[in-house]
Amino acid sequence: MMSKSDFMDSQEKINDLLKERLNADEKFPKSIFKSIDFKGTPLFTFGDKNAKKVIVFIHGGAFINEINYQHHLFCLAISKKLDAYVIAPVYPLAPKHSCDETFDLMDDLYGSPISKMGKDQTISLMGDSAGGGFVLSFCQHLKAIDLPQPNNIVVYSPWVDIALSNPPYDNDSDPILGEIGLREIGKSWAGELDTHEYRVSTLWRQY
């Protein structure tokens, strides 16, 4: 339990954290790795942009924490191991932003390589934790906007139910996260959407 942040089990502290993040200046993460600008959004890139395999990686962090060096090292490793071009967007985070802005970003970002892909190229979506949940929701969203599905979907420990309702969340058994903190973060990420909506809780399918 030493790794659990205190705001995960305290209504007062999670409220204070979200208020502090909401009022803080927005800063893009610094890194030794290369980034490019995509319509005002930084994208970290790894590998050869002409590679046959394109991977879009959506990082975890409960939708409030920025991409970190562990994500960078992971993206670098898979770019080398798979001879792939890996793109990791610095997507908008809660509480300053809600999921709608990230969907808009990903619509453009995903559509861009798809429109330029050759017959021998593939595109994969990958994500961990909150990022994994977003990937699964985004793939349902692709069906709604009539864009093709990726060739591969790879997620690990995806957050698929920000409503924490199926089954009831076992707070005592979680050494890192907590029900109170996750529930408030989930509401912030959902914005005006219901937390059972598939775009934020992919467990609740759109069809």
Side-chain angles (χ1 to χ4, degrees):
M1 290 298 179
M2 294 297 290
S3 59
K4 180 179 283 195
S5 299
D6 56 5
F7 62 78
M8 280 294 173
D9 288 327
S10 168
Q11 187 70 54
E12 180 180 0
K13 290 182 178 180
I14 186 58
N15 289 345
D16 288 344
L17 175 71
L18 293 176
K19 183 178 179 180
E20 178 185 336
R21 295 282 182 92
L22 185 63
N23 294 324
D25 293 335
E26 200 161 19
K27 298 179 180 179
F28 293 125
K30 295 181 179 180
S31 174
I32 62 172
F33 296 103
K34 177 183 177 182
S35 66
I36 59 176
D37 179 84
F38 180 80
K39 298 185 177 181
T41 297
L43 309 176
F44 287 104
T45 62
F46 307 83
D48 182 358
K49 67 179 181 179
N50 296 312
K52 292 183 178 180
K53 298 175 183 176
V54 177
I55 300 172
V56 179
F57 177 78
I58 309 299
H59 70 84
F63 297 124
I64 61 170
N65 292 319
E66 198 52 87
I67 189 169
N68 61 41
Y69 77 96
Q70 292 175 316
H71 296 122
H72 290 149
L73 293 177
F74 175 74
C75 289
L76 177 64
I78 61 174
S79 72
K80 293 180 177 294
K81 183 73 173 180
L82 301 177
D83 191 21
Y85 182 54
V86 181
I87 304 168
V90 180
Y91 62 88
L93 297 173
K96 278 187 176 292
H97 308 278
S98 65
C99 66
D100 287 336
E101 293 172 72
T102 300
F103 273 99
D104 290 342
L105 166 67
M106 282 296 295
D107 284 350
D108 293 337
L109 179 59
Y110 182 83
S112 180
I114 281 286
S115 65
K116 300 175 183 177
M117 282 175 56
K119 292 182 179 180
D120 58 344
Q121 287 185 300
T122 63
I123 186 166
S124 303
L125 293 182
M126 180 180 292
D128 71 293
S129 193
F134 179 84
V135 164
L136 296 176
S137 291
F138 184 71
C139 288
Q140 291 202 61
H141 171 69
L142 289 176
K143 178 180 176 65
I145 63 175
D146 200 28
L147 279 180
Q149 293 292 319
N151 298 92
N152 303 285
I153 301 169
V154 182
V155 298
Y156 45 102
S157 299
W159 189 10
V160 297
D161 180 22
I162 68 170
L164 306 180
S165 58
N166 187 33
Y169 182 72
D170 185 4
N171 188 74
D172 293 337
S173 298
D174 195 327
I176 298 176
L177 305 172
E179 181 175 6
I180 294 173
L182 288 177
R183 195 176 297 280
E184 294 306 315
I185 292 168
K187 291 177 184 177
S188 180
W189 174 249
E192 296 183 358
L193 296 178
D194 188 284
T195 53
H196 292 90
E197 223 268 3
Y198 80 90
R199 283 176 289 175
V200 289
S201 293
T202 192
L203 185 69
W204 305 95
R205 301 192 309 167
Q206 64 160 318
Y207 52 87

